Amino acid sequence: MQSAPVLRSEWLKIRTTRSLLGTLLALFAVTTAFSALAAAPDPSDPDFDPLFTTFSGVLPGQIAAISFGAMAVSSEFHNGALRVSLAAVPQRGRWFAAKVTSIAVPALVVGLLTSLAALLAARAGLGSAADTLTGGEQVRAVAGCAVYLTLTALFAAGLTTLLRSGVATLSLLIPFILVVSFVIGDAAGTVVEFMPDRAGQLVLQQTHEGTLGPWSGLAVTALWTAAALLAGAWSLNRRDA
């Protein structure tokens, strides 16, 4: 079977499922709204990072990206949907590649629109505090933000394929991002730099310290995502539908 019909089929599932479209809308709305709340800092604050503040809406917005990736896959494990999909596409690797692509493309497009909207909304709130940002830094953050959100969605998709449960994935990843990474992570020393969320978010920072830089941090997130997708593909091939 050729790849194009499989891609169209998987894209049709995304486009016609209201809950998935709702998560993409939430990704845009939440990220933009929280970025718009960014306010000019105390002039005496030495830790102020105008670029990271501009994209502060990504922190809550990434939950919607996780939900999108998890829900896009978890629907296959309800009511025998996976058996129907694999009956139509017996090559499991081909089907999984189409599923991943159908998640990645809309996530990237919405991620780009979201990062642009967040930049414009936050700059309006920050005023002159954002004047120190260079064009190159803003382009890097917009592109990096879109890639980071896409990787986050794919990471959730791979983990959901492995666990065969969207609920389990959300129960694992959301507390990890909200609690482990920002509470326990600060006491973990340099290890925290290599966590998938903290590493990827370096691309949103104007200045950074430590081993990783903006693009190398994003590469670490990509490695986490690749590992999750490979684990998901392995589980899909080894286990009964």
Side-chain angles (χ1 to χ4, degrees):
M1 178 179 290
Q2 295 181 350
S3 297
V6 184
L7 283 170
R8 283 197 296 270
S9 174
E10 293 305 317
W11 166 239
L12 184 64
K13 294 177 185 178
I14 298 290
R15 185 168 59 86
T16 57
T17 304
R18 292 183 179 180
S19 59
L20 294 179
L21 297 179
T23 57
L24 291 176
L25 178 60
L27 171 60
F28 179 86
V30 170
T31 304
T32 304
F34 274 84
S35 293
L37 296 175
D42 182 345
S44 63
D45 183 5
D47 296 325
F48 173 66
D49 186 325
L51 191 63
F52 193 69
T53 301
T54 297
F55 288 90
S56 56
V58 172
L59 302 182
Q62 64 187 334
I63 296 175
I66 290 171
S67 299
F68 173 66
M71 291 169 58
V73 174
S74 64
S75 61
E76 297 288 346
F77 297 104
H78 295 157
N79 301 320
L82 182 60
R83 288 193 294 271
V84 175
S85 296
L86 294 181
V89 189
Q91 301 91 345
R92 297 189 178 198
R94 186 188 296 273
W95 174 82
F96 189 60
K99 173 67 75 175
V100 169
T101 302
S102 71
I103 294 170
V105 172
L108 182 60
V109 171
V110 173
L112 282 170
L113 294 174
T114 298
S115 56
L116 282 170
L119 175 64
L120 296 174
R123 283 193 63 101
L126 288 173
S128 60
D131 290 344
T132 60
L133 297 176
T134 67
E137 288 171 340
Q138 293 176 75
V139 170
R140 181 246 292 173
V142 167
C145 177
V147 173
Y148 172 71
L149 290 173
T150 303
L151 290 174
T152 300
L154 292 177
F155 184 78
L159 193 59
T160 301
T161 308
L162 176 65
L163 300 178
R164 297 197 165 201
S165 170
V167 173
T169 298
L170 295 176
S171 299
L172 180 65
L173 288 186
I174 292 178
F176 176 83
I177 288 175
L178 297 180
V179 179
V180 176
S181 185
F182 286 94
V183 178
I184 301 176
D186 289 335
T190 57
V191 175
V192 70
E193 291 185 52
F194 295 89
M195 292 182 177
D197 56 326
R198 295 288 283 268
Q201 290 167 18
L202 287 174
V203 78
L204 306 177
Q205 298 179 13
Q206 185 179 37
T207 59
H208 58 277
E209 298 178 356
T211 306
L212 300 174
W215 297 115
S216 58
L218 203 59
V220 168
T221 303
L223 289 175
W224 278 90
T225 300
L229 290 173
L230 287 173
W234 173 86
S235 176
L236 182 67
N237 286 320
R238 297 277 297 189
R239 299 167 68 178
D240 293 335

